[in-house]
Amino acid sequence: SAMAGTYTVIVSNAFGCSMVPDPVTVVILPLPSALISGSHVICDSGCTTLTASAGSGYTYQWLDPANNPIPGETNQTLTACDFNLLPSYSVVVTDANGCSAVSAPFAVSLKISPVFTITISPDDCEGVPVTLTVTPVQPNVVYAWSNGGSGTSITVIQAGTYIAIGTDTTSGCSGSASATIHPLPDLCLVPVGCYESCNPDTICGPDGLAGYQWNMNGVPIPGETGQCLIVTQSGTYSLTGTTSFGCSA
């Protein structure tokens, strides 16, 4: 191949006559940049956009894995979707001088995001340590929790909704699951302490509980499962309240 420069040639015939044509100047033009950027992965479904190198006066033709032109794909970008995904894509980039370059194949694959649930032990009520655990634990997946924790399980005490995000380190695809720890019933309305009252007296629990059980001296009073209790004798009374989620205090 020729190097850039000015070239001359001497032409001679069989009789020894020679002539020197006008010199020819050769200019070596650089090829355009032909690179593809974008994501190599589509998670579950959807599309990804591939972008070819930009340049003044560049034109484009995208190619399939067999290096055949993909009809209509002559823009700088190409949208690859799960329903028409090819194993790889290349692009021919042509500059304003007519020089062309072909990119290396750019592979795109469809991957499945991690799917999991969260188990709760011993139950979903606050007040005692509750362990939340990802199940099933999948290989090459790391887990991050909304409370700042990490790993396949965390232990919590407070009520709230906790979210785990599992990210596949090989594909970058993520999935999530959540678990809710329910609050204990608020029994602040029930009187506390030692005091005297007239016989009979009525004490009541808060509105909206799913269940009430009144106790005297720590023992459940048979049949006393209403919101209020009529007290007719001295003793130590307490209320066990249960929410609609089965949490009791």
Side-chain angles (χ1 to χ4, degrees), residues 60-112:
Y60 306 90
Q61 175 61 64
W62 291 86
L63 308 176
D64 66 17
N67 286 328
N68 297 313
I70 302 174
E73 294 296 348
T74 57
N75 295 320
Q76 184 187 356
T77 59
L78 177 141
T79 300
C81 297
D82 62 285
F83 56 82
N84 63 356
L85 188 64
L86 299 177
S88 65
Y89 299 85
S90 301
V91 64
V92 178
V93 180
T94 304
D95 63 18
N97 297 311
C99 297
S100 296
V102 182
S103 72
F106 190 95
V108 180
S109 57
L110 187 65
K111 301 294 184 181
I112 303 301

Side-chain angles (χ1 to χ4, degrees), residues 174-222:
S174 297
S176 65
S178 64
T180 298
I181 304 303
H182 300 289
L184 298 177
D186 184 358
L187 303 182
C188 292
L189 292 178
V190 180
V192 294
C194 181
Y195 66 99
E196 295 180 351
S197 64
C198 298
N199 185 7
D201 189 17
T202 300
I203 53 177
C204 293
D207 295 333
L209 296 183
Y212 302 84
Q213 175 60 63
W214 290 94
N215 313 296
M216 179 179 178
N217 299 327
V219 178
I221 304 172

Side-chain angles (χ1 to χ4, degrees), residues 4 62 68 72 87 104 121 143 145 148 158 169 182 187 189 206 223 225 227 234:
W62 291 86
N68 297 313
S121 179
Y143 301 92
W145 296 80
Q158 293 183 327
T169 57
H182 300 289
L187 303 182
L189 292 178
T225 56
Q227 181 180 354
S234 298

Side-chain angles (χ1 to χ4, degrees), residues 115-119 133-136 145 164 176-178:
V115 177
F116 57 92
T117 59
I118 298 174
T119 60
T133 304
V134 168
T135 184
W145 296 80
S176 65
S178 64

